[in-house]
Amino acid sequence: MKIIVINCGSSSIKYQLFDMTKNEVIAKGLVDKIGLHGSYIKHERNDGDKVRLEGEIVDHQIGIEYMLGILISKKRGSIKSFDEIDAVGHRVVHGGEKFHNSALIDDNVLAGIKECVDLAPLHNPPNLKGIYAMQSLLPNVPQVATFDTAFHQTMPDYSYMYAIPYSLYTKYGIRRYGFHGSSHRFVSHRAAKMLNTYLKKLKLITCHLGNGASITAINNGGSMDTSMGLTPVEGLIMGTRTGDLDLGVLTYIMTKEEIGVQAANTLINKHSGMLGITGISSDMREIEEAAFEDNNERASLGLQRYHYRIKKYIGAYMAAMGGADAIVFTGGIGENSPDSREEICKGLEFAGIEFDEEKNNITRGKEAIISKDSSRVKLMVIPTNEELVIAEDTNKII
Ligand code: ADP
């Protein structure tokens, strides 16, 4: 059973070819700068063979053709013919209120994804392009969509409603949806396995800390609350996004700087967050370096602000669920930054969280429990694997 997992962005396609029988990734790669100058494909086989090819990749269809060409090529390929591909799994960002689970793509599902374009105008259109390209290139292969929002569809209404006129919810579907669903779902299942219990019995707080970041309260096996909202701007401070912001700030800036909606959108999505506060970078490694090695004050301030907001969310979610059995760290920062984990967990002993400095310091990019054995709340590091979630869902559905 071989499954291709595709993640199409506006100018990129990330892909992985899974062999589900052997439970391994046979090949993976990235098509980048689609439609731009300098487009290329980077392909890697699991035996270490790597190639980077430049070419004119004008759209997603051509990008996927390149990728499929490499997958069956004699020299670099991993399969002999397309008949070996049993299914394609697509990451789709927004499934609105329609999709609570992954779905086999048919006309109905396609229409549903199109209906959500208004909610994710930057993400769902490239996701659709990937689906159309695969349908035309591999017309007999079943395709499955896995939605970033689906896992959060268990949120109760009091957690997803905004305090705006109710008619705006009924008219436009304006509510909190949440994202990173596949990641929160993956690490929650792994956490239950590591703790040798059922997910349904656990109260979990999962922190996905990457360039984008979100935190989720998982109760009874499902998402009860999550920090991202209608869009991925809400919640935690991110690489370049504000996270929670007094709405008055935005209207004030728009008035003062005389900027319109588009510029305001760019400001809160691309120029804010850690980049905005520090003025150095959106990349946590560079910010930590500036703070610790150069004693850069704004870098230190940015880090304090970043950790403080996560700490507050942990407190809020413990209150929402009536406690927590474990807090899970994942994403590039959650998996690899012991400093961040320490700053977030410090001072939470009152809530039964006993952090183990030694265990934390030796944990990078691997599964581990980093709390003291006596800690009532377990602290865990679990590398995420969103592609595997998509491959497994696709496998199950077909
Ligand atoms: P994305 O959301 O794009 O998938 P990632 O999950 O890969 O991003 O996370 C990227 C972030 O992880 C960057 O801010 C990067 O600096 C940070 N990161 C990666 N490795 C480390 C590390 N060793 N220490 C601190 N931060 C790290």
Side-chain angles (χ1 to χ4, degrees), residues 170-354:
T170 47
K171 216 161 141 189
Y172 304 117
I174 298 176
R175 48 157 281 183
R176 308 182 61 255
Y177 288 96
F179 298 88
H180 291 140
S182 302
S183 176
H184 291 292
R185 190 174 125 205
F186 178 82
V187 298
S188 63
H189 282 273
R190 284 300 311 156
K193 277 233 161 76
M194 285 167 73
L195 297 173
N196 207 12
T197 184
Y198 295 105
L199 180 58
K200 274 204 160 240
K201 289 191 174 171
L202 289 173
K203 293 182 199 311
L204 291 177
I205 297 174
T206 50
C207 311
H208 178 110
L209 311 176
N211 284 315
S214 65
I215 180 166
T216 297
I218 299 173
N219 202 3
N220 252 327
S223 172
M224 179 186 169
D225 202 347
T226 191
S227 57
M228 283 177 167
L230 173 77
T231 76
V233 182
E234 194 181 338
L236 304 180
I237 296 174
M238 304 175 224
T240 59
R241 293 179 215 147
T242 55
D244 296 335
L245 182 77
D246 175 355
L247 296 173
V249 171
L250 194 60
T251 49
Y252 191 77
I253 295 172
M254 288 171 79
T255 312
K256 283 281 179 197
E257 296 270 308
E258 295 180 10
I259 57 170
V261 174
Q262 216 169 353
N265 211 19
T266 307
L267 179 89
I268 57 172
N269 276 289
K270 305 245 189 255
H271 299 155
S272 298
M274 294 304 280
L275 175 66
I277 299 183
T278 65
I280 295 168
S281 171
S282 62
D283 190 289
M284 188 54 93
R285 276 165 298 199
E286 290 175 24
I287 297 164
E288 286 185 350
E289 204 179 294
F292 305 145
E293 287 169 29
D294 308 335
N295 289 322
N296 184 297
E297 278 180 23
R298 269 172 58 191
S300 302
L301 171 66
L303 288 175
Q304 269 182 313
R305 189 79 189 93
Y306 181 86
H307 302 136
Y308 180 65
R309 178 148 326 155
I310 299 171
K311 199 189 280 263
K312 287 208 299 186
Y313 262 97
I314 288 174
Y317 285 173
M318 286 182 87
M321 293 192 290
D325 297 299
I327 298 170
V328 180
F329 292 97
T330 193
I333 298 164
E335 292 165 28
N336 298 299
S337 173
D339 288 305
S340 283
R341 295 190 302 246
E342 180 169 351
E343 290 303 323
I344 293 163
C345 298
K346 241 173 26 188
L348 295 179
E349 292 77 13
F350 75 93
I353 298 170
E354 295 176 58

